[in-house]
């Protein structure tokens, strides 16, 4: 009996032999999983903005350290009212598109060469590793001598900035193409160019596209540097001018424009991934 | 000593930025023991405070001085606004006006000024542009003109040239290059057509074959108040006495500066002693025998007793507003406090 | 066409992998190669298809392959090796595109092999949408489309569950009955070997050499009708292999 009492779970069994009472197994699997919360991000963003606005209005945030969000919004609205936004946007978009397109095209070409030919790998891959970490801003004075203070040096800055990450993404992608697929192609007697076009490039495409995300972000980061020299218009030039005039409302408006540009580019690349990589789930 | 000062200032600025981002107010602890921090650029025009410190004129006023070096005028203005330094001396820039509009800083006196009898700022042209017909500032129509940033004094000068020569301001293409060395490089290589700059730099440039002098700024701007003395609004309102003592010390430094370099009324030994002091901060990377002539070369007059040319300041403010580089609502009262020095 | 292996020896560095393998695969014959893991079966198959060079010995083809054979020696891989970015039809098309045989003929061949492998309705599906068995059907259709003289099948059913494996074996026999392809079929599964092989080559553990060759003269399509006979052969094979397999299992593996 005393034993029964010390084991309470066994106690009912002795009272009603053969018909033990049932109870559910406690659920222990909660937590540690992520569920999607759609509206949390905008709410956090809005809450931050409201706190910021209140801080600015009450003077808790000094007007030298940050403008109120409404002031930045007003500066943004001014850009639209005066129509200057289109001048700045078109100038920057031109530089971004030309520089990034040329940079990624060259980057894919060199990346493929490194991925496919051992001679190119031996010769170029250390060069890429050596040149990639150089801040392109540091080369700006040289770019000015080489390419002039016109569009040349600006496009070149962005071109070089997007070239290196694309090279690395591309040859990494080529290296990661499933070897068994290449062997399959060889076993069916596919030509070298068919294997490259139909197996290696599509296989490396996911890596190349994620390289695009990085190179596009770098291109936007470099926009400000590219527009330091001799740029009358452009979002980077606008931000620099705002900084020089200590017009921090315009500064924040310009930075917000860069953010929006980044979001737009990320969305476009997302679309491209959906289109080109539809086979991946 | 110079390096240490910079490092401590960096630390101070970091903590100040942190505090600023948290929105905390600043205490006036910076000059509790009457130590003042003066922001300087490595230019001869910043010598008066260096001389005043070196000759003990600030000490006479019960002030200990710490110098803080800056690369450009803009961060100096911001550092004064955040009370990290107390006094500075630079050209009137858009940034300075913006900070004045926010109630952070005030102009309290005048410094460098263009005067007809002294060699002032020069207008320069690239050789190629000169050969192609840009032989006088009146012919700047359709040419590019280098500036550091929009709203810099270079930008103002370019537009004043246009105004006086009688063509539209938009006929000059303003090319921002961010930094003076970049403008120099662009001018030398002919990528920009024209620029205006203080005489000692202009003199060095025109010695070479790439750059030609085509005019003087003083022909286009009357009595141009190139640089001004400014401090934080907090000092102006809460520490009037400190401001007065600083200006009194500075005035003696200005007299010595003008006597040594502009009017040249001092003996060679006195000039050498002064150059020795200045050399600690200006052309410090060069040996004394090379630096001394450069310090002396093309020194422009600094107003006695830091007198301020209000008309010129107002003209500059109007120009900034007409170009929509600063808000239209800024008044002269926002920008200048006239109680400390004589104005004209 | 007949495929003849003459005294194949192969080693990786100092490590002998295959010793003195002589074998032939006759026209219309399915030769199964069984052996414990690590006995060099897959290496042998790569050597047969010309993807790897043997250290010594030769693989010879005797007689002409069929005139319309686009790729006489064609592999079917264990991991299917389908391009995930191509549909079922596109995967089959891939191996025809390099041959100048005209758009119409490509279409006809693709339709034909898809019909024979019962994949017509899945022509537009992507590999990720298919089960393992269906994927291997696609790989087999792809192999059939080039009309091979010899199919080199590297454990084609090993990645599949046993029901799917049974179904696919039936399908393979049906396909063989239609076209009588020859095949060298590597497996470690004795049931597969007994069900599909005309001859079964038993290999020893590493270094792999031929231990025995067992011939089964019951026609493939009739084998389900002889359960006792096939079971007996399978038992005999297992007895031959058991000790080898046990020893191979206890070996420290230093080659993959």
């Amino acid at each position: 009996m005393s034993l029964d009492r010390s084991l309470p779970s066994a106690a009912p069994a002795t009272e009603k032999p053969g018909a033990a009472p049932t109870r559910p197994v406690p659920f222990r699997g909660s937590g540690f999983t992520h569920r999607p919360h759609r509206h949390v991000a905008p709410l956090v963003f809005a809450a931050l903005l409201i706190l910021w606005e209140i801080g600015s209005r009450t003077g808790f945030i000094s007007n030298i350290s940050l403008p109120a969000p409404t002031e930045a919004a007003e500066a943004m609205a001014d850009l639209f009212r005066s129509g200057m936004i289109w001048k700045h946007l078109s100038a920057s978009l031109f530089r971004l598109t030309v520089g990034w397109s040329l940079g990624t095209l060259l980057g894919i070409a060199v990346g493929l060469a490194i991925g496919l030919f051992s001679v190119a790998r031996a010769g170029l891959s250390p060069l890429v590793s050596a040149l990639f970490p150089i801040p392109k801003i540091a080369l700006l004075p040289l770019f000015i001598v080489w390419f002039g203070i016109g569009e040349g040096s600006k496009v070149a800055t962005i071109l070089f900035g997007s070239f290196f990450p694309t090279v690395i993404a591309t040859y990494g992608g080529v290296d990661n193409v499933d070897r068994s697929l290449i062997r399959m192609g060889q076993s069916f007697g596919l030509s070298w160019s068919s294997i490259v076009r139909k197996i290696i490039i599509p296989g490396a495409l996911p890596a190349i596209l994620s390289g695009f995300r990085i190179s596009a972000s770098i291109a936007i980061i470099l926009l400000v540097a590219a527009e330091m020299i001799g740029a009358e218009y452009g979002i980077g030039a606008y931000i620099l001018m705002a900084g020089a005039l200590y017009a921090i409302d315009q500064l924040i408006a310009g930075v917000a424009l860069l953010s929006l540009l980044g979001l737009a580019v990320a969305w476009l690349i997302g679309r491209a991934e959906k289109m080109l990589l539809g086979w991946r789930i | 000593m110079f390096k240490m000062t910079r490092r401590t200032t960096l630390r101070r600025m970091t903590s100040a930025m942190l505090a600023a981002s948290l929105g905390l107010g600043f205490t006036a602890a910076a000059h509790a023991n009457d130590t003042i921090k003066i922001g300087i650029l490595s230019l001869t025009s910043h010598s008066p405070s260096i001389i005043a410190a070196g000759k003990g004129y600030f000490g006479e006023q019960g002030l200990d001085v710490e110098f803080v070096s800056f690369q450009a005028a803009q961060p100096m203005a911001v550092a004064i606004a955040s009370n990290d330094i107390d006094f500075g001396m630079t050209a009137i820039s858009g940034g300075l006006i913006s900070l004045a509009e926010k109630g952070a800083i005030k102009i309290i006196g005048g410094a460098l000024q263009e005067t007809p009898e002294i060699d002032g700022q020069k207008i320069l042209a690239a050789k190629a542009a000169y050969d192609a017909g840009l032989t006088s500032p009146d012919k700047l129509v359709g040419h590019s003109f280098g500036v550091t940033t929009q709203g810099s004094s270079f930008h103002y000068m370019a537009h004043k040239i246009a105004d006086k020569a009688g063509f539209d301001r938009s006929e000059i293409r303003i090319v921002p290059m961010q930094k003076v060395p970049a403008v120099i490089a662009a001018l030398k290589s002919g990528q920009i057509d024209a620029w205006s700059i203080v005489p000692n730099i202009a003199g060095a440039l025109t010695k070479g074959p790439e750059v030609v002098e085509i005019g003087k700024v003083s022909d286009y701007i009357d009595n141009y108040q190139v640089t001004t003395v400014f401090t934080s609004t907090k000092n102006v309102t809460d520490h009037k006495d400190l401001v007065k003592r600083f200006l009194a010390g500075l005035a003696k430094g200005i007299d010595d500066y003008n006597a040594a370099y502009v009017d040249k009324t001092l003996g060679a030994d006195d000039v050498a002693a002064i150059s020795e002091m200045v050399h600690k901060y200006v052309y410090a990377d060069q040996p004394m025998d090379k630096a001394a002539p450069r310090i002396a070369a093309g020194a422009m007059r600094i107003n006695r007793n830091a007198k301020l040319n209000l008309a010129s300041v107002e003209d500059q403010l109007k120009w900034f507003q007409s170009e929509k580089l600063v808000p239209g609502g800024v008044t002269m009262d926002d920008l200048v406090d006239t109680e400390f020095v004589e104005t004209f | 066409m007949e495929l003849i292996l003459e005294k194949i020896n192969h080693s990786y560095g100092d490590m002998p992998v295959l010793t003195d393998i002589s074998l032939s695969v006759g026209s219309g014959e399915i030769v199964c190669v069984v052996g414990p893991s690590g006995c060099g079966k897959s290496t042998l198959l790569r050597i047969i298809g010309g993807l790897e060079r043997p250290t010594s010995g030769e693989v010879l083809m005797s007689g002409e392959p069929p005139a319309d054979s686009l790729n006489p020696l064609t592999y079917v891989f264990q991991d299917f090796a389908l391009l995930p970015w191509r549909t079922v039809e596109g995967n089959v098309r891939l191996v025809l595109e390099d041959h100048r045989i005209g758009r119409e003929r490509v279409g006809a061949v693709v339709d034909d092999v898809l019909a024979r492998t019962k994949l017509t309705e899945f022509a537009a599906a992507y590999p990720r949408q298919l089960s393992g068995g269906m994927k291997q059907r696609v790989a087999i259709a792809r192999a059939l489309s080039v009309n091979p003289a010899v199919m080199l099948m590297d454990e084609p059913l090993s990645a599949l569950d046993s029901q799917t494996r049974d179904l696919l074996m039936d399908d393979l026999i049906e396909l063989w009955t239609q076209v009588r392809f020859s095949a060298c079929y590597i497996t470690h599964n004795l049931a597969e070997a007994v069900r599909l092989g005309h001859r079964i080559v038993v290999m020893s553990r590493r270094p792999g050499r031929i231990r025995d060759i067992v011939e089964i003269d019951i026609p493939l399509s009739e084998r389900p009708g002889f359960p006792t006979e096939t079971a007996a052969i399978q038992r005999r094979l297992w007895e031959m292999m058991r000790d080898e397999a046990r020893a191979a299992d206890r070996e420290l593996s230093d080659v993959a």
Side-chain angles (χ1 to χ4, degrees), chain C residues 2-216:
Chain C
E2 198 181 353
L3 197 61
I4 302 158
L5 283 65
E6 273 192 356
K7 298 194 171 134
I8 302 285
N9 282 283
H10 195 60
S11 49
Y12 291 123
D14 294 336
M15 164 110 55
V17 188
L18 294 168
T19 320
D20 197 27
I21 307 277
S22 293
L23 185 67
S24 72
V25 181
S27 185
E29 185 188 30
I30 299 179
V31 175
C32 288
V33 179
V34 296
S37 60
C39 73
K41 304 184 294 267
S42 296
T43 310
L44 181 64
L45 200 69
R46 281 203 296 275
I47 290 173
I48 296 175
L51 290 182
E52 206 160 319
R53 239 187 265 279
T55 312
S56 71
E58 272 183 307
V59 182
L60 303 166
M61 291 189 279
S62 134
E64 287 301 309
D68 54 352
S69 174
L70 299 173
N71 191 46
L73 302 176
T74 298
Y75 282 91
V76 175
F77 300 95
Q78 179 179 356
D79 61 0
F80 324 130
L82 299 177
L83 301 185
W85 50 86
R86 283 194 175 221
T87 60
V88 167
E89 190 192 336
N91 265 288
V92 177
R93 230 169 237 283
L94 172 80
V95 298
L96 300 171
E97 283 165 358
D98 268 19
H99 301 283
R100 301 173 185 282
I101 52 174
R103 192 179 296 254
E104 277 168 35
R105 178 134 172 250
V106 169
V109 169
V110 170
D111 288 347
D112 174 52
V113 293
L114 290 183
R116 274 155 64 197
T117 48
K118 304 181 189 112
L119 286 167
T120 308
E121 55 182 309
F122 300 100
Y126 282 92
R128 68 178 156 84
Q129 300 170 291
L130 302 176
S131 68
M134 294 296 279
K135 282 184 201 163
Q136 196 55 291
R137 270 204 186 84
V138 178
I140 292 167
R142 179 177 63 190
L144 289 173
S145 72
V146 292
N147 203 8
V150 183
M151 291 240 262
L152 305 173
M153 309 178 88
D154 185 6
E155 309 229 13
L157 307 183
S158 294
L160 308 176
D161 63 74
S162 64
Q163 286 100 11
T164 314
R165 202 181 303 162
D166 280 342
L167 291 173
L168 264 169
M169 277 195 273
D170 291 343
D171 288 351
L172 279 174
I173 289 165
E174 200 183 319
L175 287 168
W176 182 83
T177 320
Q178 287 165 12
V179 279
R180 304 265 162 158
F181 54 83
S182 12
C184 182
Y185 188 111
I186 302 278
T187 183
H188 62 266
N189 183 311
L190 300 180
E192 276 174 42
V194 171
R195 181 96 178 78
L196 296 173
H198 294 105
R199 279 191 299 150
I200 299 168
V201 176
V202 183
M203 287 180 66
S204 68
R205 73 191 153 100
R206 197 177 60 220
R209 56 165 56 92
I210 294 177
R211 222 188 120 146
D212 201 356
I213 296 180
V214 175
E215 206 151 330
I216 307 178

